[in-house]
Amino acid sequence: MFIAYLRVPRLISRRVFSTSHLCRVKPQYDDAEILAEQVNHSVYKAKRTRMDYNWNAKSQAEVEKEHEDRIEKMQKLSAIFQGMLFLFGIGTVGTLYLQWPQVKGWWLAKDIRVDDDTIERLIRFKRKKAILAIPSLPIDQPTSDVPGLYYWGSRLGDGNSNFPVRVPWFDNKHLRSIALAESGLNLAIDEKGDLYRWDTNSCELYLPDQNLLEVHISNGAAYALNKQGEILIVPLSDEKLLKRHISWHRSFVKPWRKYCFYDWKLDTASVFKSRTESRIEQFSVGIEHLIFLSNGGKAYACATGIKTKKSGVSKGQFGVPELSRFDTFPECNKAFEIELLNSTVTDDGKLCSRTIEQIACGSYHTLARDSDGHIYSFGINTHGQLGLPISYDSEYVPFPKMVGNFRAHFPQNQFKCVDIHCCGDTSFVGIVPQTVADNYVQNQNGNIGPGYENATYFSFGNGIQGQLGNGHFKHSLHEPTKMKVINDTNGDQAQQSKGSHVTEWYCGERHIMCKLENGELLAWGCNENGQLGNGKRVRWARPGNIPKLLEPRVDYTEEPSKTLFNPENKLILSKNQQIALGPNSSCLYWKIDK
């Protein structure tokens, strides 16, 4: 009996083992239920049905409330999910907006692998910031028919050039404006209105996305007029100062492109008093001053440069009596109204306003022309460039004075000025005769009467390099003298051009060029650096034709008498060809049609 009792655990363990093994194979049996019946002789049920529990019946209201709670929870979860989906969409769109160039390159690029030569060219392109390589021209195509830029005169690093040199950076390009510098890099505005700095060896984009129309250089800064009628002040020797005024903004229309915004502009809001004045129409610069005209016909002046010179002395070029040589030099880029030019007092003591139509700046003097054809001058007069007698009292004239020394040339008729220009210390004016009938037509219709085709040009001022164009080399001349126009470069014939009048003027510091109606280009003045482009370095005291030097594959050294110095070999400009002159250099370029 005892032995049988001792064997029970082994039997139980064996059966437990076998039962657990069967449960792993067939999980429908319960070990506890099998063992409980054999060991304890009792009934055990591990599984119960729903009927074995006491379920409390719920009311209809409780059931509906639970249903409503579940619906409310589902709606909250749905709202949270929709909010997260909306935020995810906003984040995705924002990321695509900010990283669109990278996404576009990743999505559209088929094969981004490049060889070492391509990488080297890209690095060289970025370092030099070149615009365009020299195109290969057909042999039968003349170079003069391909838009570009020709440069002659003083060349940076290469000495001087008597003949035009084609600059490769602007091949096949039309430009809006060119400004040649005395030292440093020149400036150019392309057809999009972007500003470039260039010389014969390099070119770089200096200020993009400003839609510029015209640019001039004065006192180490560039002054550029944009299409909105604003003048931008661009430093040329301080790139850190330039970057301080530049900010980049992404366009909402084209999110893959950033646009440059430049905020250093000439303040005109403080000087524009009339409601009709809202923009700048034209401007001209000297060495240290700038004169601009508003759309209301008013003239304003300011000092140019980046930093105000404490030791600077005014020479009267601003036309403001309070800014004379005895007063403190004005602050740079602060505009002043030239009140004595914009207004006048009539004989009966009434104040009336003038409408200024044209201004021209020399080195330290200014000319202005009003709608009535009167000429006014102010500034330095050491060479007689103001058209006033040279004396101690008129050496510096800080306010506008009328120039009217033309009575000897028009004794029987009245006269009227239709054009003015300045170069360095020399002035040029175009005068037309006025009869009583012309004055009546002008008063009735408001037109200017005779045009440029009847104008007679006069010059006065410094002519030691032949700038006067009257055939004489004079240090000073205050009496306006008629200019001489010749048809050949040798100067054998001194006859007036018939049927050809001056249509455009280009003034440097000591040399001048003008374009006639038939396209001929005349030049005179200083030529020590070859800036006249005639193959010589001899100054000209009378306007003469420039030889046509733009024809390709022509050897001028073999027979210069038949090619270079042939009187019939004249440079004739086409409709789009323009000239830009600097202190000691010149260039020819193709200007874009407006």
Side-chain angles (χ1 to χ4, degrees):
M1 184 69 179
F2 177 73
I3 296 173
Y5 179 76
L6 292 176
R7 292 181 178 179
V8 171
R10 293 184 178 181
L11 179 60
I12 294 174
S13 63
R14 291 178 181 175
R15 291 190 176 183
V16 169
F17 173 77
S18 62
T19 305
S20 61
H21 177 69
L22 293 175
C23 289
R24 287 197 299 270
V25 179
K26 298 180 179 181
Q28 60 269 28
Y29 298 102
D30 194 344
D31 295 344
E33 185 177 354
I34 297 173
L35 296 177
E37 183 179 357
Q38 294 180 1
V39 177
N40 299 328
H41 304 283
S42 60
V43 180
Y44 171 78
K45 291 184 179 180
K47 298 181 180 179
R48 298 182 181 181
T49 62
R50 295 171 57 93
M51 302 303 298
D52 295 332
Y53 296 93
N54 294 326
W55 295 93
N56 295 326
K58 296 183 179 180
S59 61
Q60 185 68 21
E62 292 178 348
V63 173
E64 292 179 356
K65 184 178 181 182
E66 290 181 356
H67 179 70
E68 293 176 357
D69 292 340
R70 286 196 297 271
I71 295 299
E72 184 179 357
K73 290 180 181 179
M74 291 299 296
Q75 291 178 350
K76 290 181 179 179
L77 291 175
S78 177
I80 294 174
F81 178 76
Q82 292 178 1
M84 294 177 63
L85 186 62
F86 177 76
L87 294 177
F88 177 77
I90 292 296
T92 303
V93 173
T95 303
L96 291 175
Y97 176 80
L98 297 176
Q99 303 295 332
W100 176 251
Q102 294 83 350
V103 174
K104 183 180 179 182
W106 167 77
W107 183 263
L108 298 179
K110 297 181 180 180
D111 188 3
I112 62 174
R113 295 175 297 178
V114 295
D115 54 4
D116 296 337
D117 295 337
T118 303
I119 295 176
E120 182 65 24
R121 287 197 299 269
L122 291 175
I123 294 175
R124 192 183 303 112
F125 175 84
K126 184 177 181 181
R127 187 179 302 166
K128 293 185 178 181
K129 298 180 181 179
I131 300 176
L132 188 65
I134 302 176
S136 57
L137 303 178
I139 298 178
D140 57 347
Q141 182 179 7
T143 311
S144 58
D145 293 340
V146 180
L149 187 145
Y150 290 86
Y151 181 86
W152 63 93
S154 178
R155 298 175 58 191
L156 302 177
D158 298 334
N160 300 327
S161 176
N162 296 348
F163 302 99
V165 177
R166 190 175 179 92
V167 179
W169 319 118
F170 303 103
D171 284 336
N172 294 319
K173 287 183 176 293
H174 290 77
L175 305 175
R176 292 185 179 181
S177 179
I178 293 288
L180 302 181
E182 182 176 5
S183 62
L185 298 178
N186 306 311
L187 300 177
I189 300 177
D190 66 354
E191 56 187 356
K192 297 180 181 179
D194 298 337
L195 183 65
Y196 288 85
R197 294 184 66 180
W198 63 275
D199 59 7
T200 55
N201 299 319
S202 63
C203 183
E204 63 174 345
L205 178 61
Y206 201 65
L207 187 61
D209 304 328
Q210 302 303 311
N211 200 5
L212 303 178
L213 300 176
E214 184 180 359
V215 62
H216 296 284
I217 300 175
S218 176
N219 199 15
Y223 292 84
L225 179 67
N226 62 12
K227 202 169 184 179
Q228 289 74 30
E230 303 169 325
I231 293 182
L232 277 61
I233 307 169
V234 184
L236 299 178
S237 58
D238 192 348
E239 293 190 5
K240 293 183 180 179
L241 180 61
L242 176 70
K243 293 179 180 178
R244 256 185 266 160
H245 294 277
I246 292 178
S247 59
W248 294 89
H249 300 273
R250 196 178 297 276
S251 173
F252 289 97
V253 180
K254 299 179 180 179
W256 57 87
R257 189 179 187 277
K258 290 185 177 180
Y259 289 89
C260 175
F261 286 84
Y262 192 76
D263 59 0
W264 196 4
K265 303 175 182 178
L266 201 64
D267 182 20
T268 57
S270 59
V271 293
F272 284 171
K273 299 178 181 179
S274 175
R275 294 182 179 180
T276 59
E277 295 180 300
S278 59
R279 54 183 289 118
I280 298 174
E281 292 294 336
Q282 59 174 290
F283 75 105
S284 181
V285 299
I287 293 181
E288 292 182 344
H289 75 292
L290 180 147
I291 308 294
F292 64 91
L293 293 181
S294 68
N295 57 338
K298 303 297 181 182
Y300 302 86
C302 72
T304 58
I306 305 303
K307 295 182 181 180
T308 303
K309 295 182 179 180
K310 297 181 180 180
S311 59
V313 178
S314 172
K315 296 178 174 59
Q317 67 269 33
F318 305 105
V320 180
E322 292 80 6
L323 302 178
S324 66
R325 59 175 175 168
F326 304 104
D327 300 306
T328 305
F329 197 79
E331 179 183 352
C332 288
N333 306 312
K334 182 180 180 181
F336 298 89
E337 182 182 0
I338 310 177
E339 296 181 357
L340 296 181
L341 181 62
N342 297 331
S343 304
T344 185
V345 179
T346 60
D347 296 335
D348 55 357
K350 295 182 180 180
L351 182 66
C352 63
S353 60
R354 296 192 184 100
T355 300
I356 308 302
E357 293 186 348
Q358 188 181 5
I359 45 96
C361 293
S363 295
Y364 291 99
H365 76 286
T366 305
L367 295 183
R369 177 177 62 87
D370 66 0
S371 58
D372 295 329
H374 298 149
I375 314 169
Y376 302 90
S377 62
F378 47 91
I380 193 171
N381 192 41
T382 54
H383 300 280
Q385 56 264 49
L386 299 184
L388 304 174
I390 303 174
S391 63
Y392 177 79
D393 295 335
S394 61
E395 183 179 5
Y396 299 98
V397 181
F399 55 89
K401 279 191 174 183
M402 183 180 295
V403 180
N405 300 331
F406 305 96
R407 186 65 60 185
H409 302 281
F410 304 96
Q412 298 179 355
N413 299 326
Q414 297 181 356
F415 56 89
K416 182 176 183 178
C417 178
V418 295
D419 196 16
I420 57 174
H421 299 278
C422 293
C423 96
D425 298 325
T426 314
S427 302
F428 308 93
V429 296
I431 304 296
V432 296
Q434 286 284 98
T435 61
V436 178
D438 295 331
N439 291 332
Y440 177 78
V441 172
Q442 178 184 354
N443 294 331
Q444 293 295 324
N445 302 331
N447 55 16
I448 64 172
Y452 294 98
E453 61 274 6
N454 298 323
T456 301
Y457 279 92
F458 298 81
S459 62
F460 46 92
N462 187 4
I464 195 63
Q465 297 292 335
Q467 305 98 302
L468 293 174
N470 57 6
H472 302 283
F473 299 94
K474 290 188 177 181
H475 182 267
S476 59
L477 179 67
H478 74 277
E479 287 289 342
T481 59
K482 289 183 179 180
M483 297 180 59
K484 296 181 179 180
V485 181
I486 59 177
N487 288 328
D488 64 319
T489 58
N490 296 328
D492 296 335
Q493 301 176 357
Q495 58 183 359
Q496 189 80 15
S497 296
K498 298 181 180 180
S500 297
H501 60 272
V502 178
T503 58
E504 296 184 34
W505 282 73
Y506 316 100
C507 297
E509 184 177 351
R510 295 179 299 172
H511 69 294
I512 308 95
M513 296 183 184
C514 63
K515 180 181 178 181
L516 301 182
E517 184 185 14
N518 57 6
E520 292 186 19
L521 186 65
L522 303 180
W524 67 96
C526 181
N527 195 30
E528 61 183 4
N529 297 310
Q531 55 262 50
L532 294 185
N534 56 8
K536 303 177 182 179
R537 293 194 181 182
V538 180
R539 58 185 180 177
W540 280 0
R542 291 184 296 182
N545 292 104
I546 296 178
K548 191 173 184 179
L549 302 176
L550 305 184
E551 288 289 347
R553 293 168 294 278
V554 176
D555 189 3
Y556 294 104
T557 60
E558 293 183 357
E559 296 182 2
S561 60
K562 295 182 179 180
T563 56
L564 180 60
F565 304 113
N566 187 357
E568 297 181 358
N569 183 21
K570 302 176 183 179
L571 177 60
I572 299 179
L573 300 180
S574 63
K575 180 181 178 181
N576 295 330
Q577 288 180 341
Q578 294 291 324
I579 298 293
L581 304 185
N584 300 305
S585 58
S586 309
C587 77
L588 182 148
Y589 66 98
W590 273 251
K591 190 171 184 178
I592 186 172
D593 294 332
K594 294 183 180 180

